[in-house]
Amino acid sequence: MLYAQLFWEYIKNYAKTRLTYRMDFWVEILSDMMFQFMNLIFILIVFRHTPSLGGWSEAEVVFVYGFFMIPYGIFSTFFSIWNFSERYIVKGEMDRVLTRPAHNLFQVLLENVDPPSLIGSVVGAIIMFVCWGELGLPFHFMDIMLLAVFVIGAVLVYAGIYTALSAISFYSDAPTGIVPLMYNIQNYGRYPVNIYNKMIRFVLTWLLPFAFVGVIPASYFLEKKADDLSQLALLTPVVGLVFFTLGLLMWNHGVKRYRGAGS
């Protein structure tokens, strides 16, 4: 209940702060939507020059992109810690966080919560719904439950990887440039992994499992049998839990090594 109350208080403070400058709030939402639609337009342009991509049709790839947007929007809302190193380590705000009783990661996440990013998840759900009908996919009640489980698993994959990357700042206060690189790598997860060579496919599936945030869980609903993607989809929550646990362990270990901004 304590953490639920803290969450609600942070959300209220966010609303008061952002709605003070309402135009900035709506401009941020509009810019996020434009960015997502530009990615969608890129996919559509690609299919103007080829009938299929690695055996995947245009509607199937767009369906995957729709799924990709759902967990990414949720992740961006609750795990928006892109500037953790600069704000909390270099500027010393981590000292303030550590003086409070709630878990430090929970506090950091709530201080950077970004509700407008959820618009991307809504748009992604709409894209999936449209493609679902266009592809004539069968619909079962269990699909809703599985979709929720896959989305949670994908969010945990994101959270685990980026929590671990943020924890690197506890060992080195110099910007590493890894986060922008990882941001670019994650975008590979919205395309069919069978279009890449074996090395990249292995990395995207097991080392940096961004395939589990898009193409692999989406393939379950598309019933894609290539490379047993639809069977791997059932591992999405497991992979998510494993990587989030690893990320949390790395974070907790890093906090123990933290000596303050003045040391």
Side-chain angles (χ1 to χ4, degrees):
M1 290 300 297
L2 171 64
Y3 284 92
Q5 183 178 0
L6 283 175
F7 174 77
W8 179 242
E9 291 298 327
Y10 270 102
I11 290 297
K12 289 195 297 185
N13 288 335
Y14 172 88
K16 293 176 183 177
T17 303
R18 295 305 304 272
L19 293 181
T20 302
Y21 304 96
R22 299 187 180 184
M23 184 56 67
D24 290 345
F25 176 79
W26 292 111
V27 167
E28 180 181 351
I29 291 179
L30 180 61
S31 63
D32 286 344
M33 292 182 64
M34 290 180 62
F35 176 75
Q36 299 297 345
F37 277 118
M38 286 299 296
N39 290 328
L40 178 59
I41 290 173
F42 174 77
I43 295 175
L44 298 178
I45 291 176
V46 169
F47 279 96
R48 297 287 80 81
H49 298 83
T50 180
S52 65
L53 188 64
W56 295 63
S57 68
E58 178 183 41
E60 289 174 334
V61 174
V62 173
F63 181 92
V64 171
Y65 180 65
F67 178 91
F68 175 87
M69 291 177 64
I70 297 176
Y72 180 70
I74 297 174
F75 161 75
S76 297
T77 299
F78 299 104
F79 290 85
S80 183
I81 50 177
W82 313 104
N83 63 338
F84 173 77
S85 177
E86 291 78 6
R87 177 179 176 181
Y88 290 91
I89 304 300
V90 177
K91 295 183 179 180
E93 290 196 30
M94 194 65 190
D95 294 356
R96 167 182 56 81
V97 171
L98 292 176
T99 61
R100 298 175 177 176
H103 190 274
N104 43 80
L105 177 59
F106 185 75
Q107 294 182 66
V108 170
L109 295 179
L110 287 184
E111 289 182 357
N112 294 276
V113 69
D114 186 30
S117 295
L118 282 176
I119 296 297
S121 296
V122 175
V123 174
I126 294 173
I127 292 175
M128 278 191 69
F129 177 79
V130 172
C131 291
W132 203 302
E134 182 178 342
L135 291 167
L137 299 174
F139 179 80
H140 308 285
F141 177 76
M142 284 296 297
D143 290 337
I144 299 177
M145 299 180 61
L146 284 172
L147 177 61
V149 171
F150 290 161
V151 167
I152 293 173
V155 172
L156 290 177
V157 169
Y158 276 126
I161 292 176
Y162 282 99
T163 298
L165 290 179
S166 298
I168 294 177
S169 302
F170 291 118
Y171 305 91
S172 173
D173 58 3
T176 61
I178 298 179
V179 173
L181 174 63
M182 200 64 59
Y183 178 82
N184 291 325
I185 293 176
Q186 78 180 25
N187 290 325
Y188 287 92
R190 65 187 185 210
Y191 298 109
V193 290
N194 58 310
I195 67 175
Y196 308 122
N197 62 44
K198 292 183 178 180
M199 178 60 70
I200 296 179
R201 288 161 62 182
F202 177 78
V203 171
L204 291 176
T205 305
W206 304 115
L207 297 184
L208 299 172
F210 287 120
F212 283 96
V213 305
V215 63
I216 288 180
S219 67
Y220 180 87
F221 304 105
L222 294 171
E223 299 181 348
K224 300 293 287 187
K225 302 302 181 182
D227 300 321
D228 296 324
L229 287 183
S230 59
Q231 297 180 23
L232 284 177
L234 298 176
L235 293 177
T236 301
V238 177
V239 174
L241 286 172
V242 169
F243 274 80
F244 182 69
T245 300
L246 292 175
L248 187 58
L249 289 174
M250 187 171 178
W251 174 278
N252 289 334
H253 184 267
V255 169
K256 293 178 180 179
R257 291 177 54 91
Y258 180 69
R259 293 295 180 268
S263 59

